[in-house]
Amino acid sequence: MTEFVCNSCGERYPENTKEYRCKCGGLFDLVTGKTTFDFDKQLSIKDLSLWRYEEALPYTGEAASKITMGEGLTPLVKVQDGLLGKAEYFMPTLSFKDRGAVMLVLHARKMGFNSIAIDSSGNAATAVAAYSARAGIKCSVFVPESTSEKKLAQIKAHGAEINLIKGPREASGATAREFVETNDSFYASHIYNPLFYQGTKTYFYEVFEQLGGRFPDGFIIPVGNGTLILGAEKAFEELQSAGFIHKWPRIIGVQASGCAPIYKAFKDGLDVVPQIESSGTEAEGIAIAAPARGEQILKVIRKSGGDMVAIDDDETLKARALLAAKGIYVEITSAVNYAAYLRIMAENGGKLWVIPFCGAGIKSS
Ligand SMILES: [Zn+2]
């Protein structure tokens, strides 16, 4: 049975709750009562999408059959010796956010909502707009005025209503929450709704399967609101409790120097993430000055024996050009991962690392 549990006071809410967070102000975690599947049976599963892991997910492939677009099971591409890139730009809307968006839209559909609201820096809004269109549900998106025109064009093409919000990324979130509180609309938030991490955890299940039942030495993961890192936490916990892994792989979280509150809190040895003043970055997908789940993200990185790095925009743009010269064109935000790898390589040497190519190059200018 699926339930939402407040991570602050422990109060439980039923699956069909319309609240997007606890009355005490705490954020929800998810309890599904599901155990992980039998990896030994995996090779016989024919579904070549993330639904091949349905035994570990809150919804089945059959439940998703009306809205799935074949999301998941993206290739692992060799970038150079010791480095594999998971090519998330193969996704239906060209970014990894489809993994979580399909879960949220399925949930909204099951709960009978006719309207969905989402705030995002662009990729999550694009993904939710596409899956809402697929499900026949009206979608309203709240994005910063600075959002790339290419992302806006993609959102508009799916028929979503676009609300351009002045101010930092957080202002879009505040406006979206005002909207859901005054309309009967489902808040498809990748920050508040933990169903999103049920989707992003499949990234790690896939890597585990693609490497023949093992993890690399480390994952390099970009961090804004931490949607991929919180998916890692779920996947690592589940695979460990099922006895498939005994130790977590290291997580190196990457932020842009211009907006790096988690990096700063980590290096300062803090357990919480104080809000910072963003000085701006081209890596718009991870420019989050006050990450709502910062405390949880710090815990996950520390539990993995990991680290945080901050990357300057000129390093990011250089890394993006280096990837393009290898035939791989990613959006600017995704290039922070390769920049981080180049720095870690220089310090740590030859291990096996996996980085995500989170979004396609044509998404940013
Ligand atoms: Zn609470």
Side-chain angles (χ1 to χ4, degrees), residues 108 137 265 321:
I137 302 176

Side-chain angles (χ1 to χ4, degrees), residues 6 9 22 24:
C6 174
C9 75
C22 182
C24 82

Side-chain angles (χ1 to χ4, degrees), residues 73-214:
L73 216 63
T74 55
L76 264 184
V77 180
K78 183 178 171 181
V79 184
Q80 59 200 61
D81 285 343
L83 179 65
L84 298 169
K86 191 149 171 68
E88 296 287 279
Y89 49 64
F90 274 95
M91 286 287 189
T93 76
L94 317 181
S95 95
F96 82 100
K97 300 279 190 188
D98 290 352
R99 295 182 187 274
V102 70
M103 298 296 162
L104 293 185
V105 174
L106 260 177
H107 187 69
R109 199 167 172 268
K110 186 179 172 196
M111 297 304 138
F113 280 99
N114 296 312
S115 161
I116 287 179
I118 164 94
D119 59 278
S120 136
S121 61
N123 282 340
T126 309
V128 170
Y131 283 93
S132 296
R134 192 97 171 144
I137 302 176
K138 184 176 181 295
C139 180
S140 300
V141 311
F142 298 82
V143 287
E145 278 185 325
S146 57
T147 302
S148 118
E149 278 184 26
K150 290 171 184 174
K151 287 178 183 172
L152 292 176
Q154 200 180 350
I155 292 166
K156 202 172 161 194
H158 295 306
E161 174 195 86
I162 297 176
N163 301 276
L164 292 176
I165 308 299
K166 281 193 171 55
R169 166 71 183 82
E170 285 73 15
S172 301
T175 315
R177 288 191 290 283
E178 266 169 42
F179 179 83
V180 294
E181 275 160 21
T182 50
N183 291 272
D184 190 21
S185 188
F186 174 72
Y187 187 28
S189 170
H190 54 292
I191 303 161
Y192 286 92
N193 198 316
L195 272 165
F196 202 92
Y197 318 129
Q198 292 292 313
T200 53
K201 80 180 181 187
T202 59
Y203 174 95
F204 301 93
Y205 274 93
E206 289 174 16
V207 171
F208 188 78
E209 187 180 352
Q210 287 168 320
L211 292 180
R214 69 184 178 104

Side-chain angles (χ1 to χ4, degrees), residues 79 317-330 338:
V79 184
L317 295 175
K318 199 172 143 199
R320 189 185 190 215
L322 285 170
L323 282 174
K326 292 173 186 286
I328 297 165
Y329 192 44
V330 297
Y338 188 50

